Amino acid sequence: MKAAFLTLGCKVNFYETEKMMADFQKHGIDIVEFGQAADICIINTCTVTNIADRKSRQMLHRAKKKNPQSIVAAVGCYVESGGEELLKDPSVDVVFSNHDKGSIAQKVLEYMKSRGVSENLIPQAVCGGQSDPVRDRTRKYIKIQDGCNQFCSYCMIPYVRGGGVLSSREEEDILKEIRSVAKDGYKEVVITGIHLSSYGVDRSDEKQFVALKGRPLVELLKKINEIQGIERIRLGSLEPRIICTEFMEGLMAVTKLCPHFHLSLQSGCDSTLRRMNRHYTAATYKEKCDILRRYFEHPAITTDVIVGFPGETEGEFECTREFVKEIGFADVHVFSYSVRSGTKAAGMKDQVPPEVKHQRSEMLMADAEQGKVQYEEWFMGREEKILFEEIRSIDGKEYLTGHNERYVMVKIPRNEAETAGFTENGIGSIRIQKTNLI
């Protein structure tokens, strides 16, 4: 029996898909690439935007079209927000919530029995199944936390990820997993969560992550730093308010930490930030960036920005544009505001027309690309350590590609890489030139 998986959305979803794959393998089910012939197709869905919803539906339809006789299962955040509607879709056989992911294989097999599939055809759990079915990445996502209680006015995630309840993994469980992936040869781990800055809040007397000043996260990172085989530690998205002197002082002891910080901005205009319920001002955000730059040389500060939020005037948008230029981000992910039913923003007045949102998105993406180029100029002529990841064909030529610590992607001709002794999943130093950039 064969199962195929497709993951949409965030790093947490990718982590959870790997766990689901391992669960299926323990039941004696082979994992194949999505699009190949399979008896079971699992789509790990996303609902962060309307586009994510549409993509989830498209992939479910594609799975059924490719394998008409297979069981197509939808799991994850889009199920949480629209599960009943999904069951009306003829392409979808069964749906599972985020809470079902930990026992997904057993639940699918039980569903198969309910559909009359012969028990002789249904595999049983086996001992010694592979713990890591996905080996196409040199970095490994490690989920340490779930849930978000910030309730930004535009966001569905608190509702589909535990209803605002925070949940942190036990420290020793996390360390055990990282020791295992280090033995498997992974050089880099990405520490992630739905609201990473809240790690440890649910196990502390202090009920706000701001009050904790990131202490539980720092203590965990220090212990990860000691694990042999792991050479890089990268952080997922952080809440800007976690950045403070105490947090930075703690991070300085984490010698393997990559100077790459993703701080979600969403808007550079204070009035828009208030409507978004973002709990900080543009000036506060800038202070946090300044703190990062005091402690780390040329850190990669990346961010997300939403354009066309309800009530966003031309002046507010221009305020955001100027703020993005002022900060000098290494990269910016630009999103057009998407109405999410059930959120406060969905009922706000002065919804911005789609054509205006599109125009603003195009303008800000152009600004972001220019800022990225300016950020990368700093690396010209510098010796950088690259974690090489894969061979890629670019314009008909083969290159070995990878990222430096600040997540700048570079390439080197395959023949030059072989001459220098560089290999996939290996770390090597090169002097960066413009021809190395992708």
Side-chain angles (χ1 to χ4, degrees):
M1 186 168 288
K2 298 178 180 179
F5 288 77
L6 181 73
T7 308
L8 302 171
C10 65
K11 294 180 177 66
V12 170
N13 259 9
F14 279 91
Y15 172 87
E16 291 171 344
T17 293
E18 292 191 4
K19 293 300 181 183
M20 289 190 287
M21 287 178 172
D23 190 21
F24 271 79
Q25 284 197 323
K26 288 176 182 177
H27 283 78
I29 300 172
D30 295 328
I31 307 299
V32 298
E33 293 290 331
F34 184 78
Q36 293 182 1
D39 305 288
I40 304 163
C41 296
I42 309 289
I43 312 299
N44 195 358
T45 63
C46 177
T47 192
V48 70
T49 65
N50 283 333
I51 293 174
D53 284 354
R54 185 168 68 247
K55 185 73 170 178
S56 295
R57 292 192 298 269
Q58 288 173 345
M59 293 301 102
L60 288 161
H61 295 165
R62 181 178 297 180
K64 181 61 78 172
K65 184 177 180 180
K66 182 69 177 178
N67 293 287
Q69 303 305 315
S70 70
I71 291 171
V72 175
V75 64
C77 293
Y78 184 40
V79 172
E80 300 276 2
S81 65
E84 293 302 317
E85 289 300 314
L86 269 177
L87 283 174
K88 298 176 184 177
D89 191 322
S91 295
V92 180
D93 296 299
V94 62
V95 300
F96 298 105
S97 70
N98 280 315
H99 296 292
D100 294 325
K101 289 178 176 179
S103 56
I104 186 73
Q106 186 61 42
K107 291 181 182 297
V108 169
L109 296 180
E110 289 172 358
Y111 173 78
M112 293 172 68
K113 290 180 183 179
S114 73
R115 289 279 299 269
V117 178
S118 170
E119 290 199 18
N120 292 331
L121 299 176
I122 298 176
Q124 304 300 312
V126 295
C127 297
Q130 292 181 0
S131 61
D132 182 18
V134 180
R135 294 302 306 270
D136 61 343
R137 287 190 290 272
T138 51
R139 62 181 51 83
K140 191 77 167 178
Y141 299 132
I142 304 293
K143 173 187 166 186
I144 69 168
Q145 179 275 340
D146 208 341
C148 178
N149 61 2
Q150 299 303 296
F151 290 98
C152 299
S153 62
Y154 53 82
C155 187
M156 282 292 295
I157 300 306
Y159 303 100
V160 300
R161 283 279 182 173
V165 177
L166 301 174
S167 175
S168 301
R169 286 178 64 188
E170 292 295 332
E171 190 176 82
E172 187 49 45
D173 185 43
I174 298 167
L175 296 173
K176 180 180 178 181
E177 181 178 8
I178 297 177
R179 292 188 194 106
S180 177
V181 303
K183 289 180 180 178
D184 285 339
Y186 284 87
K187 300 290 194 300
E188 179 179 311
V189 289
V190 182
I191 309 304
T192 189
I194 295 301
H195 192 261
L196 183 59
S197 299
S198 289
Y199 176 74
V201 169
D202 50 311
R203 299 203 301 265
S204 171
D205 292 334
E206 301 194 64
K207 298 304 179 184
Q208 293 292 329
F209 75 91
V210 178
L212 278 174
K213 299 180 179 178
R215 288 191 297 273
L217 180 57
V218 166
E219 291 308 309
L220 173 64
L221 294 174
K222 287 179 181 178
K223 293 175 181 177
I224 296 172
N225 198 65
E226 297 173 0
I227 295 177
Q228 292 186 356
I230 298 301
E231 300 192 35
R232 289 183 179 180
I233 303 169
R234 200 177 298 276
L235 293 175
S237 181
L238 293 173
E239 172 80 26
R241 290 176 293 160
I242 198 175
I243 305 300
C244 62
T245 300
E246 292 87 346
F247 185 57
M248 289 295 102
E249 292 288 350
L251 290 186
M252 296 309 292
V254 185
T255 56
K256 297 176 183 178
L257 183 71
C258 293
H260 172 201
F261 301 92
H262 188 86
L263 304 184
S264 290
L265 171 64
Q266 307 305 0
S267 176
C269 174
D270 287 347
S271 57
T272 307
L273 287 170
R274 284 193 294 271
R275 294 197 302 277
M276 289 179 167
N277 194 35
R278 286 297 288 176
H279 310 296
Y280 55 80
T281 65
T284 300
Y285 187 98
K286 184 179 182 303
E287 288 173 6
K288 305 304 184 181
C289 294
D290 291 342
I291 291 173
L292 285 173
R293 286 170 172 146
R294 283 204 301 271
Y295 282 88
F296 293 93
E297 183 182 23
H298 200 63
I301 303 176
T302 58
T303 197
D304 305 307
V305 177
I306 296 173
V307 299
F309 189 75
E312 183 185 65
T313 64
E314 192 66 32
E316 288 178 338
F317 171 65
E318 287 300 327
C319 182
T320 292
R321 285 189 73 189
E322 291 305 313
F323 188 76
V324 167
K325 293 175 184 177
E326 179 184 3
I327 296 298
F329 292 105
D331 201 7
V332 181
H333 300 149
V334 181
F335 300 88
S336 293
Y337 168 70
S338 182
V339 177
R340 311 310 292 134
S341 179
T343 62
K344 185 175 180 180
M348 288 182 177
K349 298 179 180 180
D350 301 321
Q351 296 284 332
V352 178
E355 60 274 15
V356 175
K357 287 192 284 189
H358 177 74
Q359 180 186 41
R360 291 177 182 175
S361 178
E362 292 290 315
M363 294 170 68
L364 192 57
M365 284 192 290
D367 293 342
E369 182 59 30
Q370 184 177 358
K372 183 179 180 180
V373 170
Q374 291 173 349
Y375 176 80
E376 291 177 348
E377 286 178 355
W378 184 82
F379 297 96
M380 296 304 101
R382 290 178 178 266
E383 194 83 12
E384 288 288 306
K385 287 185 178 180
I386 310 300
L387 175 56
F388 292 108
E389 297 156 30
E390 63 177 348
I391 300 292
R392 291 178 57 184
S393 179
I394 303 173
D395 297 329
K397 297 181 179 180
E398 287 195 332
Y399 294 87
L400 182 61
T401 63
H403 290 82
N404 71 357
E405 293 175 333
R406 292 165 176 81
Y407 212 64
V408 173
M409 184 177 240
V410 303
K411 67 182 189 297
I412 179 173
R414 185 173 185 174
N415 60 335
E416 292 182 19
E418 291 174 349
T419 300
F422 300 149
T423 61
E424 294 175 72
N425 200 31
I427 293 180
S429 295
I430 66 171
R431 192 168 298 279
I432 303 294
Q433 305 297 332
K434 283 194 176 181
T435 54
N436 297 122
L437 299 180
I438 298 178

